[in-house]
Amino acid sequence: MVGMHTPDAEMARLASKALLYSIDRIRVDPPPLGAPRPYEELLEAVGQTITKDGITGAEALRLFTEVLAPSSISVDHPKFLSFVPGAPTEASIIFDMVVSAASIYAGSWLEGAGAVFAENQALRWIADLADFPASAGGVFVSGGTAGNMSALLAGRHWWRSRNEGRHDHTRGLIMASKGAHSSVAQAARAMDADVLLVPADERGRLVGSALRATVDSMSQADRDRLFAIVATCGTTNLGVIDELSVVADVAQELNVWFHVDGAYGAAGLCAPSVRHKYIGIERADSFIVDPHKWLFGPYDSCALIYRNVHDGPRAHTQHAEYLDVLHSEVDETQPWLEMNPADMAHHLSRRARGLPLWFSLATHGTDAYADAVERTLKVTKQGAEEIRSRPYLELLLEPDLSILVFRRLGWTPEDYQRWSDKQLYSGESFIVPSSWNGETVLRFCIVNPRTRRQHLIEILDSLAPEES
Amino acid sequence: MVGMHTPDAEMARLASKALLYSIDRIRVDPPPLGAPRPYEELLEAVGQTITKDGITGAEALRLFTEVLAPSSISVDHPKFLSFVPGAPTEASIIFDMVVSAASIYAGSWLEGAGAVFAENQALRWIADLADFPASAGGVFVSGGTAGNMSALLAGRHWWRSRNEGRHDHTRGLIMASKGAHSSVAQAARAMDADVLLVPADERGRLVGSALRATVDSMSQADRDRLFAIVATCGTTNLGVIDELSVVADVAQELNVWFHVDGAYGAAGLCAPSVRHKYIGIERADSFIVDPHKWLFGPYDSCALIYRNVHDGPRAHTQHAEYLDVLHSEVDETQPWLEMNPADMAHHLSRRARGLPLWFSLATHGTDAYADAVERTLKVTKQGAEEIRSRPYLELLLEPDLSILVFRRLGWTPEDYQRWSDKQLYSGESFIVPSSWNGETVLRFCIVNPRTRRQHLIEILDSLAPEES
């Protein structure tokens, strides 16, 4: 047989080159920052790569390493502090590569038992971080958007089941704070549900007083269709943690699903110095945390944990002739150990995307994770000091976790943008302007243990007024 | 700095071992089939891998290669013919490994321009296969479930926009055939929409007569809330193609969104011998195809293509303070070349999951893809001949594409299951029983160019009556 499924010497050489490039890329510190180029420029440099006969792997690899990769920003650069950066460990990347090679379908126990078994040990560690009971279980999905929606779908299904048909066609309602991630509103939009926004406090947090005031002012109709409250531990813009205990109280009083979005921030659960800020998460019905953010894994992966593992499949199991073989009887009074990950969320085909975290955790141990998160928290505190020590800057709030939001005195939005562009296109740093109460500000999100105080000093110094 | 973000000699040795294992795994032909083991057995063999201090990478890798990988089935085994197998090219796997190492966020042009540029060339090839216009565009999402839902969300948004608020709170309705994939019903469930099932013809296809009869019998209320018709090109269970042209006619008459689910089957668009069966797909508003199925890529990836690239972002763009910087003004009268993949579907964080297909396509050229798909179609025909030539077997329908469904005369469901288990646990093949009109039957899904006639003969011979 000839064709692209037959190994040959040329492919072997290509594989060696590609893997050497990969190893270099993992190890280089810092990696090149990279910067986007306009479409027309890329087309000029790259041309049409999809042809009848192929352009050879060597040429495709050259185009990637010389043009395309440098036109993409390295999220693991120590001065990439925009959005939420990434900082995968070498162990996690190496194992992501093993997963690429392994051709395992990790959606069912029947097909992927070994992979699922290991993923479940990593999920159990995460569940334990939140003090979840033995009944807990979950799945790694592609990202926070998928995780939040899958959790809310499970919540809606639970609510409707409890109401025995009365609410099967009722438009659902979710309460969340103004600091909630955009994916909560997006999930509601997809689900044809509504979001009732609770005003945040002056630090951007969902607190008990505002939540109770909103509940008190709800109409009975809205009360009847409320099925979930979403709290956030580590909001994306400000990195603050909602009052989880009070939210848990209210959710319990109202008998609605309590979901905690910890896509970025729940990683802090493993850091002793901030663990107390999360009290109340142990009462959630579900929560998420993204290993590709602050748990040092590669894209893309979100751990979704249900307090009761059976709440997932009740909402998400897909049925078909060709799938029936996967679904044996499950004793719902017991934790489900041979679960099908596909049944736990809104997905079916899936990569074993939890294995990179599993492997890195198994390799380094959980203490190393605590240390790495603590390190970023310490650098964040140092950054706050550095900001406070500069008269041209103003720290806008004390960090709960690892996000710093601050003002450059006297700057217009255009000044911020000009500075940000200059930093990016000179290869210095990637820090886009954000906003705070409608004002353009700067924001550092520090999840990379390779980000050091000195990096922050260099960035902050570049904001100084020019000497006249 | 000490810790898991510091390269050291031990990690370098581990990386070498893991990558050598990976290369061997990619090249071995056939790979070991693998088979699941019960949870208790795996726990006995593996123990607790997540500890305070770590078990070392060498031990974690050993557990994976010796216990966990063999407890997972290799989807690329030439005798894995259940569900929809996979058969990634070496080029696609190698590049998936490069993607693991590259730490690129491929959700926005700003952050991932180079990666997005290349993904878009692969998407354009797919759009061209379906004769989509220059206005087309799309994104790679994690799988068919995400792709179908994202397309239907775009369709519902388009429908509601067209109705200027009149249907913003109307429960939507989707028409699909009984052969549609389970994810269509699952999407409707998530979206709080309903599915009106159209009876399939005797081959399992959605045909014009049944579709028109169903439309004629709809209530006006249902007609008012109908926003999409879903057709399938290559149903999962039977591999048949709906009458796409007639469905396109009806969708046009009713002025509703026309989505084609080609998760498995649309790969056949690149095979000249069957291309004519897809006529009508060029009139769809959206379609999907999964590269991890019959386009020879690794897990997990689904290409979602919109006829008009702007239909995606209108439905899916997420808004937040920290995201505003990504959203510049876009001229909606033009194709959008610097699009943000995150805006195209229900997701935000994303791996550059289209790059493995891009790299393999660029390396081998599109003719190699046509050849590989044609090869599987030819082997399917040979399989049909082999089935027909055996008196103890009965082919239940002529294959449209690469799925064979047949009966073992005289067997009970238990006979099928016993045979299937024996094949799996002896390392021979992985073929689970499926069902056809309520009867337990066997089903081969042939998407692996390494699957040869001889493999099918061996499997079919094992079904022969024992000589007495």
Side-chain angles (χ1 to χ4, degrees):
Chain A
M1 180 180 70
V2 184
M4 59 188 182
H5 286 80
T6 310
D8 63 15
E10 196 183 326
M11 188 53 63
R13 276 192 300 275
L14 180 64
S16 299
K17 265 175 94 164
L19 295 185
L20 285 175
Y21 167 80
S22 299
I23 290 292
D24 282 350
R25 172 63 188 81
I26 297 169
R27 298 249 171 92
V28 62
D29 180 16
L33 182 62
R37 295 169 68 184
Y39 171 82
E40 293 297 343
E41 259 188 58
L42 286 175
L43 185 62
E44 175 78 24
V46 175
Q48 175 55 264
T49 57
I50 310 297
T51 63
K52 248 167 78 61
D53 299 319
I55 61 172
T56 78
E59 174 62 3
L61 184 61
R62 185 192 71 77
L63 288 171
F64 182 78
T65 58
E66 294 183 9
V67 183
L68 298 173
S71 307
S72 307
I73 306 179
S74 300
V75 294
D76 57 340
H77 189 284
K79 286 173 158 181
F80 183 129
L81 305 178
S82 294
F83 308 111
V84 181
T89 63
E90 181 165 346
S92 72
I93 295 177
I94 289 298
F95 211 75
D96 201 38
M97 296 166 84
V98 172
V99 171
S100 298
S103 284
I104 295 169
Y105 167 74
S108 72
W109 185 268
L110 172 63
E111 292 158 274
V116 175
F117 176 89
E119 284 188 308
N120 285 353
Q121 288 203 346
L123 288 167
R124 186 65 243 176
W125 173 66
I126 294 171
D128 283 339
L129 288 178
D131 285 332
F132 263 36
S135 62
V139 63
F140 291 96
V141 297
S142 62
T145 296
N148 280 334
M149 188 184 71
S150 292
L152 289 169
L153 283 168
R156 188 170 68 181
H157 187 270
W158 165 84
W159 167 67
R160 285 182 172 157
S161 304
R162 210 162 39 78
N163 280 281
E164 295 166 351
R166 198 165 61 90
H167 284 315
D168 285 3
H169 281 212
T170 304
R171 191 175 169 94
L173 182 66
I174 299 160
M175 289 179 85
S177 92
K178 287 206 154 179
H181 187 258
S182 54
S183 59
V184 173
Q186 199 65 7
R189 203 173 167 192
M191 293 164 67
D192 253 7
D194 294 305
V195 177
L196 180 59
L197 280 185
V198 182
D201 77 350
E202 72 291 347
R203 288 178 52 74
R205 299 177 314 149
L206 173 61
V207 295
S209 50
L211 181 59
R212 289 194 185 280
T214 304
V215 168
D216 289 345
S217 66
M218 280 173 95
S219 67
Q220 186 59 40
D222 276 355
R223 174 62 200 87
D224 281 349
R225 67 193 190 99
L226 179 72
F227 69 89
I229 305 182
V230 178
T232 309
C233 58
T235 61
T236 312
N237 201 36
L238 304 178
V240 295
I241 301 180
D242 292 342
E243 284 190 357
L244 302 181
S245 277
V246 189
V247 181
D249 289 343
V250 174
Q252 192 175 334
E253 287 160 29
L254 298 176
N255 198 16
V256 297
W257 188 270
F258 174 30
H259 174 66
V260 177
D261 177 358
Y264 146 68
L269 284 167
C270 72
S273 71
V274 292
R275 178 60 183 83
H276 62 281
K277 301 188 182 192
Y278 297 84
I279 289 176
I281 195 173
E282 71 283 357
R283 294 165 62 196
D285 294 298
S286 57
F287 76 97
I288 64 164
V289 59
D290 290 357
H292 63 231
K293 293 193 165 87
W294 205 7
L295 283 177
F296 318 119
Y299 287 117
D300 42 20
S301 174
C302 162
L304 162 61
I305 312 276
Y306 299 103
R307 164 177 224 79
N308 180 344
V309 65
H310 301 291
D311 282 326
R314 283 184 200 130
H316 294 294
T317 300
Q318 298 188 25
H319 295 283
E321 301 94 327
Y322 42 89
L323 296 176
D324 285 346
V325 67
L326 302 176
H327 299 126
S328 46
E329 287 298 310
V330 174
D331 176 0
E332 292 212 357
T333 65
Q334 298 294 324
W336 186 19
L337 300 170
E338 300 185 358
M339 53 173 252
N340 297 318
D343 296 342
M344 292 283 163
H346 191 79
H347 60 183
L348 189 60
S349 289
R350 74 181 285 274
R351 178 183 182 87
R353 54 170 42 80
L355 288 185
L357 174 66
W358 165 75
F359 185 75
S360 184
L361 265 175
T363 297
H364 295 293
T366 57
D367 277 359
Y369 277 73
D371 290 349
V373 172
E374 289 289 5
R375 178 177 184 84
T376 58
L377 291 167
K378 185 175 154 204
V379 170
T380 305
K381 286 216 177 84
Q382 293 170 344
E385 283 167 27
E386 294 292 342
I387 291 166
R388 270 191 299 257
S389 73
R390 284 168 172 72
Y392 52 92
L393 300 178
E394 186 179 352
L395 187 68
L396 294 170
L397 75 174
E398 287 301 316
D400 258 4
L401 296 172
S402 71
I403 291 177
L404 294 167
V405 180
F406 59 101
R407 173 186 289 149
R408 167 61 169 83
L409 297 176
W411 271 15
T412 64
E414 293 70 31
D415 292 327
Y416 284 106
Q417 191 60 54
R418 208 174 305 120
W419 170 84
S420 174
D421 288 345
K422 190 174 164 199
Q423 287 280 308
L424 173 59
Y425 291 100
S426 64
E428 264 305 308
S429 78
F430 180 55
I431 296 148
V432 294
S434 189
S435 78
W436 182 74
N437 294 338
E439 175 190 346
T440 300
V441 297
L442 286 177
R443 171 183 170 279
F444 289 171
C445 180
I446 299 166
V447 301
N448 189 340
R450 286 181 178 168
T451 301
R452 287 170 292 117
R453 182 178 197 139
Q454 184 56 33
H455 291 119
L456 304 186
I457 290 173
E458 288 162 14
I459 296 166
L460 296 174
D461 284 350
S462 77
L463 291 160
E466 286 178 38
E467 284 166 36
S468 54
Chain B
M1 180 180 72
V2 184
M4 59 188 180
H5 286 80
T6 310
D8 63 15
E10 196 182 327
M11 188 52 63
R13 276 192 300 275
L14 180 64
S16 300
K17 264 175 96 163
L19 295 185
L20 285 174
Y21 167 79
S22 299
I23 289 292
D24 281 350
R25 172 63 187 81
I26 296 170
R27 298 250 171 92
V28 62
D29 180 17
L33 182 62
R37 295 169 67 184
Y39 171 82
E40 293 297 343
E41 260 188 58
L42 286 175
L43 185 63
E44 175 79 24
V46 175
Q48 175 54 265
T49 57
I50 310 297
T51 62
K52 248 167 78 59
D53 300 319
I55 61 171
T56 77
E59 174 61 4
L61 184 61
R62 184 191 73 76
L63 288 171
F64 182 78
T65 58
E66 294 183 8
V67 183
L68 299 173
S71 307
S72 307
I73 306 179
S74 300
V75 294
D76 57 340
H77 189 285
K79 286 172 157 181
F80 183 129
L81 305 178
S82 294
F83 308 110
V84 181
T89 63
E90 181 166 345
S92 72
I93 294 177
I94 289 298
F95 211 75
D96 200 39
M97 296 165 84
V98 172
V99 171
S100 298
S103 283
I104 295 170
Y105 168 73
S108 72
W109 185 268
L110 173 63
E111 291 159 274
V116 175
F117 176 89
E119 284 188 308
N120 285 352
Q121 288 203 346
L123 289 168
R124 186 65 244 177
W125 173 66
I126 294 170
D128 284 340
L129 288 178
D131 285 331
F132 262 36
S135 62
V139 62
F140 291 96
V141 298
S142 62
T145 296
N148 280 334
M149 189 184 71
S150 292
L152 289 169
L153 283 168
R156 188 170 68 181
H157 187 270
W158 165 85
W159 166 67
R160 285 181 173 157
S161 304
R162 210 161 40 77
N163 280 281
E164 295 166 351
R166 198 163 62 90
H167 284 314
D168 284 4
H169 281 212
T170 304
R171 191 175 169 94
L173 182 66
I174 299 161
M175 288 178 86
S177 92
K178 287 207 153 176
H181 187 258
S182 54
S183 59
V184 173
Q186 200 64 8
R189 204 172 166 191
M191 293 164 67
D192 253 6
D194 294 306
V195 177
L196 180 58
L197 280 185
V198 182
D201 77 350
E202 73 291 347
R203 288 178 53 74
R205 299 177 313 150
L206 173 60
V207 294
S209 50
L211 181 58
R212 289 195 185 279
T214 305
V215 168
D216 289 345
S217 66
M218 281 174 95
S219 67
Q220 185 59 41
D222 276 355
R223 174 62 199 85
D224 281 349
R225 68 194 190 98
L226 179 72
F227 69 89
I229 306 182
V230 178
T232 310
C233 58
T235 60
T236 312
N237 201 36
L238 304 178
V240 295
I241 301 180
D242 292 343
E243 284 190 357
L244 302 181
S245 277
V246 189
V247 181
D249 288 343
V250 173
Q252 192 175 332
E253 287 160 29
L254 298 176
N255 198 16
V256 298
W257 188 270
F258 174 30
H259 174 66
V260 177
D261 177 358
Y264 146 67
L269 284 167
C270 72
S273 71
V274 292
R275 178 60 182 84
H276 62 281
K277 301 187 183 192
Y278 297 84
I279 289 176
I281 196 173
E282 71 283 357
R283 294 166 62 196
D285 294 297
S286 57
F287 76 98
I288 64 164
V289 59
D290 289 358
H292 63 231
K293 294 194 165 85
W294 204 7
L295 284 177
F296 318 119
Y299 287 117
D300 42 21
S301 174
C302 163
L304 162 61
I305 312 276
Y306 299 104
R307 163 178 223 78
N308 180 345
V309 66
H310 300 290
D311 282 326
R314 284 184 199 130
H316 294 294
T317 300
Q318 298 188 26
H319 294 282
E321 302 93 327
Y322 42 89
L323 296 176
D324 285 346
V325 66
L326 302 177
H327 299 126
S328 46
E329 287 298 310
V330 174
D331 176 0
E332 292 212 358
T333 65
Q334 298 294 325
W336 186 18
L337 301 170
E338 299 185 358
M339 53 173 254
N340 296 319
D343 296 342
M344 292 283 163
H346 191 79
H347 60 183
L348 188 61
S349 289
R350 73 181 286 273
R351 177 183 182 87
R353 53 170 43 80
L355 288 185
L357 174 65
W358 165 75
F359 185 75
S360 184
L361 266 175
T363 297
H364 295 293
T366 57
D367 277 0
Y369 277 73
D371 290 349
V373 172
E374 290 288 4
R375 179 178 183 84
T376 58
L377 291 168
K378 185 175 155 203
V379 170
T380 305
K381 285 216 178 83
Q382 293 171 343
E385 283 167 28
E386 294 292 343
I387 291 167
R388 270 192 298 255
S389 73
R390 284 168 172 72
Y392 51 91
L393 301 178
E394 186 180 352
L395 187 68
L396 294 169
L397 75 174
E398 287 302 314
D400 258 3
L401 296 172
S402 71
I403 291 177
L404 293 167
V405 180
F406 60 100
R407 174 186 288 148
R408 167 60 169 82
L409 297 176
W411 270 15
T412 64
E414 293 70 31
D415 292 328
Y416 283 106
Q417 190 61 54
R418 207 174 305 121
W419 170 84
S420 174
D421 287 345
K422 190 174 165 200
Q423 287 279 309
L424 173 59
Y425 291 100
S426 64
E428 264 305 308
S429 77
F430 180 55
I431 296 149
V432 294
S434 188
S435 77
W436 182 76
N437 294 338
E439 176 190 346
T440 300
V441 296
L442 287 176
R443 171 183 170 280
F444 289 171
C445 180
I446 299 166
V447 302
N448 188 340
R450 286 181 178 168
T451 301
R452 287 171 292 117
R453 182 178 197 139
Q454 184 56 33
H455 291 119
L456 304 186
I457 290 174
E458 288 162 14
I459 296 166
L460 296 174
D461 284 350
S462 77
L463 292 159
E466 286 177 39
E467 286 166 34
S468 55

